[in-house]
Amino acid sequence: MGQGVNTWHYGLVALWWAGFKVGGDDVGFSRDAIERCGEPALDAGCGTGRLLLAFLRSGMDVDGSDVSGDMLAWCATKAEAEGLSANLYTQAMHGLELPRRYRTIIVCGAFGLGGTRALDLEIGRAHV
């Protein structure tokens, strides 16, 4: 698994997330945060794109990252099916090396997932 993270978000779990985890009250909350704080934004731990795809549908400049390549593959498939273009990066939050900087970073339900407290502390030091 990726960069010292031991998570279960692969295979059938990724498929389940892609099919059943859609929408939610936090979509609007997160969209409002991006509007207040600015773009470009990063959906760190975006998984299969539950939030990210909603942002892209709104025309927002938002990229996605996740440690699970399987989750990102589903996100890319869903984006393509809707004619959306998604910049996706298979990386753990504590080791992000992304090609640009962000004004807003959204993390919804993914902070600390599959890692250790030491890795969580590295997230604050990551170059984003």
Side-chain angles (χ1 to χ4, degrees), residues 13-99:
V13 173
L15 173 63
W16 181 83
W17 274 87
F20 296 103
K21 289 297 208 175
V22 296
D25 294 339
D26 48 358
V27 173
F29 176 84
S30 298
R31 185 178 309 130
D32 291 346
I34 294 170
E35 289 173 351
R36 274 191 327 274
C37 299
E39 299 172 39
L42 174 67
D43 183 357
C46 69
T48 61
R50 185 177 67 84
L51 299 176
L52 178 65
L53 296 174
F55 302 150
L56 294 176
R57 284 185 209 109
S58 298
M60 298 180 114
D61 183 10
V62 183
D63 296 342
S65 69
D66 201 281
V67 72
S68 170
D70 288 4
M71 298 281 269
L72 289 179
W74 281 109
C75 183
T77 297
K78 292 165 70 173
E80 185 178 316
E82 293 188 40
L84 301 170
S85 177
N87 296 321
L88 302 172
Y89 304 95
T90 307
Q91 297 183 30
M93 280 186 264
H94 69 276
L96 290 173
E97 295 281 339
L98 302 176

